[in-house]
Amino acid sequence: MSVPSKLRAARRLTALAAAAVLASALAAATAPQAVAAPGPSFTNPLVGAPNSADPSIVHSGGNWFYVATTWSSKIVMRKSSTMAGLKTAAEQTVFTLAPGPGCCTMWAPDLQWINNRWYLYFSADATPGQGQRRTGVLESSGADPLGPYTYRGILNLEPDAGWAIDGSVVRFNGYANHFVYSAFRGGEQSLFIAPMSTPAQVSRNGVRISSPTLSWERQGGAVNEGPYAVYNAGKTFLTYSASSCQTPDYKLGMLTWTGGDPMSPSSWVKKSTPIFQRNDAAGVYGPGHASFVRSPDESETWVVYHANSSAGQGCGTTRTTRAQKIGWHSDGSPNLGAPVATGTTITGPSGDS
């Protein structure tokens, strides 16, 4: 074969090889992508009464862990390989309170993974009948959310606040972790934030970042409580519960962090309307005190909250835990929609199998 013929043959082989690579790339791009299977379906309530108000839920090591208010000295947790399985999972006592750590009426636990340990924050009286509720802290000895746990003390300062309750941790880009909670000042129950020096202590008294000034925050009482952060599109949103939990008008509001110092009230903007509220047509009343969790494959965000099935049930042990997948508005903020009706079949989180 002459040199020109060899060159032409080489060019043809190169072109064929390039075409093959392109065809392979196109096939890969257009081939069906693997999609994580949805988890088992369940119906709301996800967890029934009585230990099911103020829910906190995490997914770790292939399992779900759920903790909520018990109104007792015991902190109990449920564990299940699927979210649906929490409905029938056994309660396991992870810690028993005593005077000092808190006594008798534990509520609003919050489970957080920080520095390779689990921290369980909870509201309780320091001694029976004292009425000065504070936030206590438990620290796990390892990576198991079931513990064992060691009591690390009272996190809140707030010596004159009466209560300093319903706390949770908020994470910020460029700032240390902060603790958000609800306390009384000036006769109103408002939201406060304080910087954390360690996962078990704040370094100064909190600063008020939200007061119940809007009419929908003052039904049955002027209340902002139960703050909990949700993150999306590089933004931090702080949800909270508004109005008295004794009414069916208990609901969720939202603050948006604008990027400045979290301790500055000007760094927070309140949404003027609720983001989640009663759905009379569905028979869901007083939905609130929500937490948020990602699906096992990280593709979905779910809201987990408590609500009543009757308008007159109030703040007691009738409240049950419900869960549903949320969406997002065009500005990146959470779109919770409306609470779904009791008995509605809900497809479980993606990858929950």
Side-chain angles (χ1 to χ4, degrees):
M1 181 182 294
S2 66
V3 171
S5 297
K6 289 180 179 179
L7 289 173
R8 286 193 295 272
R11 291 191 186 100
R12 283 196 296 272
L13 289 172
T14 300
L16 288 171
V21 170
L22 178 61
S24 176
L26 289 173
T30 57
Q33 300 298 305
V35 177
S41 297
F42 62 89
T43 59
N44 276 329
L46 175 65
V47 178
N51 298 332
S52 52
D54 312 324
S56 178
I57 187 171
V58 300
H59 188 267
S60 177
N63 289 291
W64 296 91
F65 297 87
Y66 165 93
V67 61
T69 292
T70 63
W71 304 106
S72 74
S73 60
K74 293 186 180 297
I75 300 177
V76 301
M77 197 174 292
R78 296 184 183 218
K79 174 184 177 181
S80 172
S81 60
T82 64
M83 182 180 280
L86 291 172
K87 187 182 292 283
T88 57
E91 292 182 340
Q92 303 180 56
T93 299
V94 298
F95 198 81
T96 301
L97 304 179
C103 181
C104 310
T105 53
M106 186 283 299
W107 76 27
D110 179 54
L111 190 58
Q112 300 274 348
W113 176 250
I114 307 173
N115 298 342
N116 298 316
R117 291 286 188 275
W118 289 103
Y119 289 87
L120 206 164
Y121 304 91
F122 62 92
S123 302
D125 293 335
T127 56
Q130 185 189 40
Q132 298 291 313
R133 290 184 178 273
R134 294 290 186 270
T135 298
V137 188
L138 305 179
E139 181 185 33
S140 71
S141 62
D144 189 348
L146 290 172
Y149 284 95
T150 300
Y151 175 65
R152 294 302 186 199
I154 300 296
L155 181 141
N156 307 88
L157 301 176
E158 295 299 325
D160 302 317
W163 284 4
I165 62 168
D166 286 6
S168 65
V169 176
V170 183
R171 296 167 171 85
F172 298 96
N173 292 327
Y175 293 90
N177 289 345
H178 283 59
F179 199 73
V180 287
Y181 60 97
S182 180
F184 287 99
R185 285 188 194 167
E188 292 183 330
Q189 193 175 343
S190 301
L191 301 183
F192 293 79
I193 188 168
M196 303 184 77
S197 52
T198 73
Q201 191 55 265
V202 296
S203 58
R204 53 173 286 192
N205 282 354
V207 171
R208 182 173 6 213
I209 56 172
S210 177
S211 296
T213 57
L214 304 174
S215 61
W216 55 267
E217 299 176 296
R218 304 175 69 88
Q219 304 303 302
V223 176
N224 283 179
E225 64 182 14
Y228 199 92
V230 60
Y231 311 93
N232 183 53
K235 299 180 179 180
T236 297
F237 305 96
L238 187 64
T239 64
Y240 64 94
S241 299
S243 289
S244 169
C245 63
Q246 292 288 1
T247 75
D249 293 306
Y250 197 60
K251 59 180 71 69
L252 293 183
M254 186 183 73
L255 305 176
T256 300
W257 178 52
T258 61
D261 181 0
M263 292 291 289
S264 172
S266 64
S267 296
W268 298 92
V269 175
K270 180 181 291 188
K271 185 174 175 60
S272 62
T273 55
I275 64 169
F276 201 59
Q277 58 189 318
R278 62 190 287 174
N279 185 354
D280 291 26
V284 180
Y285 302 91
H289 205 114
S291 58
F292 295 84
V293 66
R294 300 293 295 274
S295 60
D297 69 357
E298 297 287 319
S299 69
E300 301 169 348
T301 299
W302 286 65
V303 61
V304 182
Y305 60 98
H306 72 230
N308 280 315
S309 297
S310 169
Q313 287 180 313
C315 290
T317 57
T318 57
R319 294 176 294 180
T320 55
T321 293
R322 293 112 187 285
Q324 58 194 71
K325 185 171 68 173
I326 72 169
W328 306 100
H329 293 293
S330 59
D331 65 355
S333 64
N335 180 2
L336 276 60
V340 299
T342 299
T344 301
T345 298
I346 299 175
T347 301
S350 181
D352 192 18
S353 57

